């Protein structure tokens, strides 16, 4: 007999992310390797003493790491992506019923920290992953980023072609002798 699955929302769930994310999952392994509690001390001076609580710096840097690993450059897409993945929610320390930080909060927090903090975190995360055996030396990749050139405007020169386009095309075109003397293209009548 043919079965038919009908979806019905449950009012109460008995659900644990820790039971759903397998032990060999990359983000679960990363969760067990990374101890980012040092971030509270490293970033303390960048926060005020009063006002609304900001995003947890550990969660923020984990979100940055997920964005890098998943090749997601938009904060809005990053939050949407993380909300759909159980393993990433587990890595971030969020339950399936918890709202992730707003994308604008992530953008503002990114502007809060200087480049030196990001470099220090990257170096520490990389070191922890190497020490845990998650990084091996047999494969190497190089990543690039667009960087504005620092060229002087005075050194720029206008480049002019040595000959006109049609003359050049006649010279290089060897289809037939008739084409050498006539224009490359004729207009329709």
């Amino acid at each position: 007999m043919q079965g038919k699955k009908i979806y019905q929302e449950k009012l109460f769930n008995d659900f644990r992310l820790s039971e759903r994310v397998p032990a060999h999952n990359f983000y679960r392994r990363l969760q067990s390797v990374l101890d980012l509690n040092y971030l509270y001390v490293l970033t303390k001076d960048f926060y005020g003493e009063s006002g609304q609580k900001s995003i947890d710096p550990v969660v923020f840097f984990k979100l940055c790491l997920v964005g890098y690993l998943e090749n997601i450059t938009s904060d809005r897409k990053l939050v949407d992506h993380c909300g759909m993945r159980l393993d990433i929610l587990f890595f971030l320390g969020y339950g399936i019923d918890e709202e992730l930080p707003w994308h604008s909060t992530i953008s503002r927090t990114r502007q809060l920290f200087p480049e030196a903090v990001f470099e220090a975190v990257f170096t520490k995360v990389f070191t922890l992953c190497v020490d845990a055996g998650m990084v091996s030396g047999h494969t190497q990749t190089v990543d690039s980023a667009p960087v504005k050139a620092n060229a002087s405007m005075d050194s720029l020169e206008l480049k002019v072609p040595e000959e006109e386009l049609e003359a050049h095309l006649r010279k290089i075109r060897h289809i037939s002798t008739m084409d050498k003397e006539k224009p490359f293209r004729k207009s329709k009548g």
Side-chain angles (χ1 to χ4, degrees):
M1 180 163 103
Q2 183 183 28
K4 185 175 182 183
K5 173 75 174 114
I6 300 172
Y7 176 74
Q8 184 174 349
E9 292 269 351
K10 292 182 180 180
L11 184 58
F12 300 103
N13 283 316
D14 183 21
F15 182 86
R16 291 196 173 119
L17 275 176
S18 59
E19 294 173 358
R20 297 292 179 149
V21 179
H24 64 274
N25 178 274
F26 174 75
Y27 285 106
R28 185 174 196 120
R29 289 176 38 223
L30 195 58
Q31 170 74 11
S32 66
V33 167
L34 294 184
D35 179 18
L36 298 178
N37 287 326
Y38 75 95
L39 286 172
Y40 296 114
V41 176
L42 181 67
T43 60
K44 186 176 191 227
D45 295 337
F46 299 104
Y47 292 96
E49 296 295 323
S50 62
Q52 190 175 5
K53 284 189 177 181
S54 183
I55 183 174
D56 183 333
V58 172
V59 171
F60 169 75
F61 281 103
K62 283 183 176 183
L63 281 167
C64 290
L65 184 60
V66 169
Y68 177 77
L69 293 171
E70 301 284 328
N71 198 24
I72 301 172
T73 56
S74 163
D75 292 331
R76 189 181 305 259
K77 288 180 182 176
L78 177 63
V79 171
D80 289 343
H81 181 77
C82 292
M84 297 295 290
R85 295 266 307 266
L86 297 180
D87 57 343
I88 295 176
L89 287 174
F90 179 74
F91 174 66
L92 296 173
Y94 277 76
I96 59 170
D97 57 342
E98 286 183 272
E99 288 288 325
L100 289 170
W102 285 18
H103 62 89
S104 60
T105 305
I106 296 167
S107 297
R108 281 185 266 127
T109 305
R110 185 177 287 113
Q111 295 168 3
L112 180 69
F113 302 123
E115 186 177 328
V117 172
F118 286 96
E119 288 179 7
V121 172
F122 174 79
T123 303
K124 179 74 171 176
V125 167
F126 185 70
T127 303
L128 290 171
C129 290
V130 168
D131 292 345
M134 291 183 75
V135 178
S136 61
H138 61 81
T139 303
Q140 297 175 6
T141 61
V142 176
D143 191 10
S144 64
V147 178
K148 286 186 177 182
N150 191 9
S152 170
M153 294 301 285
D154 296 333
S155 67
L156 298 179
E157 295 180 17
L158 179 64
K159 292 190 176 187
V160 180
E162 292 180 16
E163 59 185 335
E164 292 295 322
L165 178 62
E166 287 206 23
H168 176 70
L169 291 175
R170 278 194 203 103
K171 187 168 69 176
I172 62 169
R173 204 148 187 246
H174 300 287
I175 297 172
S176 69
T177 55
M178 185 174 68
D179 287 340
K180 289 182 183 178
E181 300 302 321
K182 292 186 178 180
F184 182 65
R185 290 188 173 172
K186 291 183 179 179
S187 61
K188 294 182 181 177

